[in-house]
Amino acid sequence: MGHLPQPVVAHGDPYRAHSSRKLLPVLLLSLPILALLFHCAYHGYDYGHSANLGQGLEPAAPVASADSYAAATFLYVASYGGTVTTFKLTQKSAAASLRLAPVASTDGCAGSPSWLTLDDANSVLYCTDEGLTTGNEGSLSSFSVIEDGSLVRLDKVRTVFGPVSAAVYGKHGKGLALAHYGGSALSTWDVEDPTAITPVQTRLFKMAQPGPNPSRQEAPHPHAAVVDPTGQFILVPDLGADLIRIYSVLDGDLKLTERDPLFVARGSGPRHLAFADQEEKTFMYLVTELGNTVVGYEVTYDDEAIAFEEVWTSGIHGKGNDVPAGGAASEIRISPDSNFLILSSRNESTLEIPNFDPDNSTAIASDPLVNFAIDPQTGHLDLVQEVPCGGLFPRQFSINKAGTLVAVALQGDGRVVVMERDAETGELGELVAHADIEGEVTAVIFNE
Ligand SMILES: *[C@@H]1O[C@H](CO)[C@@H](O)[C@H](O)[C@H]1NC(C)=O
Ligand SMILES: *[C@@H]1O[C@H](CO)[C@@H](O)[C@H](O)[C@H]1NC(C)=O
């Protein structure tokens, strides 16, 4: 066992992986008794924090609020520990707590699962492996989503190093675009037959010289691939190059055509973006990791072109509010009604939540989710609230379709939490379920 490869941390990025915590999962994965271990792990889990669950004491309550939680809602959770775990979100009655019950786990996306994309229409889940355990290449896996929540792998292909985000594009979801942080690339794949993923194009990016933050901007670092609301464009925020790369998607062709990029503030490090496709206007919001800003654009279309007018910029805690030292913005999401914007920041540790263990009085340190209302006329952001996200390093989070739940992937704590959200007012509420997962949790998505 002495010659197991040491986990490799991508160039100068303190957020990619905490190497000391990665060795154990790597060791575990190399053991042939893996199945047994998973079996034991399940029995060791203890989920949900309602003491009276299962005692039949819940009062009969109107089903209205229970309706907001779909009958069979699954969460898929990716971990650098090498696994994708399926949890079933259950609620015995409208008055009972939600529970996250583990129902399946797969190591089919190992070594270092970094991102999950669900192609709902085709019941296929894509998982990118960032390649941190090899240090020189990543991989892309496709899984068939089974009704009981389990995943059956269909294919796995090697990719350029460092994929951290994927987006389905093209008519009937035939294409998949991957942003490669560590490999400075954008790759596209034909997934019409998810059992036989085939490469379409790979673009490798270069920079003549480092950006203003040389330790993080020594090379281009595409951090996300996002399809616009029309499905005609793919946007790729590049943390290293301080720009958003733009590609157009032509009908019936998975090859992308490069457009002029959208330049952003130098040194800001664009990371993720999201669209608010409202009745009258379309806005796009970008969160920058190095500058800790949120930048809003009004998006307009003309013929075959997409155009952006900057309408907003502020720190991630809103206008006039400082960002705590060390803060590093991560995810940004727009509510299903397009009226609210939620973003997460890591390494702030300024908030806390009560311990999940009722017998433990020590509070748990937490980073924030920051919640804004979007002005439909101007695209300006109004701070609604800032809430504890349930632990440390919320790398990514997802909102369910009804807008009633937010699931947060906590990389620093190896935990996923589910938070209530009022779909009308947009307000974030209580943490209603949580689960611990081996390794650093990188992504969580709903399947409803
Ligand atoms: C977290 O923030 C502290 C400052 O509060 C900083 O020294 C440290 O490098 C940061 N950690 C990471 C992983 O960025
Ligand atoms: C209580 O919770 C804290 C914070 O999570 C933890 O560090 C500590 O180990 C816990 N104590 C016990 C006795 O479980």
Side-chain angles (χ1 to χ4, degrees), residues 382-417:
D382 233 353
L383 183 63
V384 175
Q385 64 185 154
E386 204 172 297
V387 299
C389 69
L392 300 179
F393 281 67
R395 172 166 168 147
Q396 185 271 349
F397 63 88
S398 296
I399 307 174
N400 70 344
K401 283 181 192 158
T404 53
L405 298 173
V406 179
V408 188
L410 297 157
Q411 185 174 1
D413 287 343
R415 181 186 306 130
V416 59
V417 298

Side-chain angles (χ1 to χ4, degrees), residues 59-407:
V63 288
S65 71
D67 279 348
S68 53
Y69 310 120
T73 295
F74 293 103
L75 288 183
Y76 297 105
V77 182
S79 163
Y80 273 160
T83 55
V84 179
T85 309
T86 309
F87 291 91
K88 189 171 186 179
L89 198 55
T90 59
Q91 187 176 34
K92 291 192 91 178
S93 75
S97 306
L98 287 180
R99 266 184 108 244
L100 280 177
V103 294
S105 178
T106 173
D107 63 355
C109 183
S112 41
S114 55
W115 184 264
L116 300 171
T117 294
L118 181 66
D119 177 358
D120 224 344
N122 298 306
S123 293
V124 177
L125 180 93
Y126 296 98
C127 176
T128 59
D129 149 30
E130 199 172 339
L132 302 179
T133 56
T134 66
N136 54 35
E137 64 177 22
S139 69
L140 166 65
S141 297
S142 55
F143 296 89
S144 180
V145 172
I146 310 297
E147 258 175 45
D148 66 4
S150 60
L151 299 171
V152 173
R153 198 172 73 193
L154 302 172
D155 198 9
K156 185 170 193 171
V157 293
R158 298 164 148 194
T159 72
V160 170
F161 180 56
V164 288
S165 165
V168 173
Y169 73 95
K171 271 227 174 101
H172 313 302
K174 281 192 255 176
L176 194 73
L178 265 55
H180 300 261
Y181 179 97
S184 303
L186 175 70
S187 67
T188 48
W189 303 82
D190 185 335
V191 292
E192 178 165 20
D193 177 358
T195 67
I197 301 172
T198 53
V200 178
Q201 289 176 306
T202 298
R203 290 180 158 82
L204 295 169
F205 306 116
K206 288 206 159 53
M207 265 159 49
Q209 61 212 33
N213 184 333
S215 69
R216 295 294 306 281
Q217 298 186 306
E218 85 295 348
H221 289 305
H223 215 308
V226 182
V227 179
D228 82 314
T230 70
Q232 290 178 297
F233 297 92
I234 294 179
L235 293 100
V236 179
D238 186 326
L239 185 145
D242 287 327
L243 49 79
I244 299 171
R245 301 179 187 277
I246 301 174
Y247 301 89
S248 50
V249 180
L250 300 179
D251 243 12
D253 188 358
L254 293 178
K255 292 200 184 78
L256 303 179
T257 307
E258 186 161 10
R259 300 278 182 155
D260 288 339
L262 174 60
F263 291 93
V264 304
R266 279 176 50 75
S268 63
R271 178 182 170 98
H272 281 184
L273 58 81
F275 285 88
D277 190 19
Q278 301 191 328
E279 238 159 69
E280 289 175 27
K281 295 182 175 181
T282 301
F283 298 107
M284 181 180 85
Y285 295 91
L286 168 75
V287 70
T288 69
E289 174 174 334
L290 306 178
N292 286 308
T293 57
V294 54
V295 187
Y297 303 87
E298 185 173 345
V299 183
T300 51
Y301 297 92
D302 184 18
D303 255 350
E304 315 242 293
I306 186 170
F308 302 90
E309 187 198 343
E310 190 175 315
V311 294
W312 178 259
T313 182
S314 74
I316 52 170
H317 290 267
K319 272 233 152 76
N321 297 327
D322 290 339
V323 179
S330 43
E331 185 59 290
I332 182 167
R333 290 283 158 127
I334 304 295
S335 59
D337 62 8
S338 285
N339 294 329
F340 296 88
L341 179 160
I342 306 173
L343 60 81
S344 56
S345 179
R346 300 161 295 173
N347 199 34
E348 295 193 2
S349 242
T350 49
L351 304 173
E352 56 184 36
I353 55 170
N355 207 296
F356 292 110
D357 174 1
D359 298 329
N360 188 332
S361 58
T362 308
I364 294 175
S366 177
D367 285 321
L369 289 188
V370 192
N371 187 10
F372 296 95
I374 299 171
D375 182 315
Q377 293 309 315
T378 60
H380 291 188
L381 299 179
D382 233 353
L383 183 63
V384 175
Q385 64 185 154
E386 204 172 297
V387 299
C389 69
L392 300 179
F393 281 67
R395 172 166 168 147
Q396 185 271 349
F397 63 88
S398 296
I399 307 174
N400 70 344
K401 283 181 192 158
T404 53
L405 298 173
V406 179

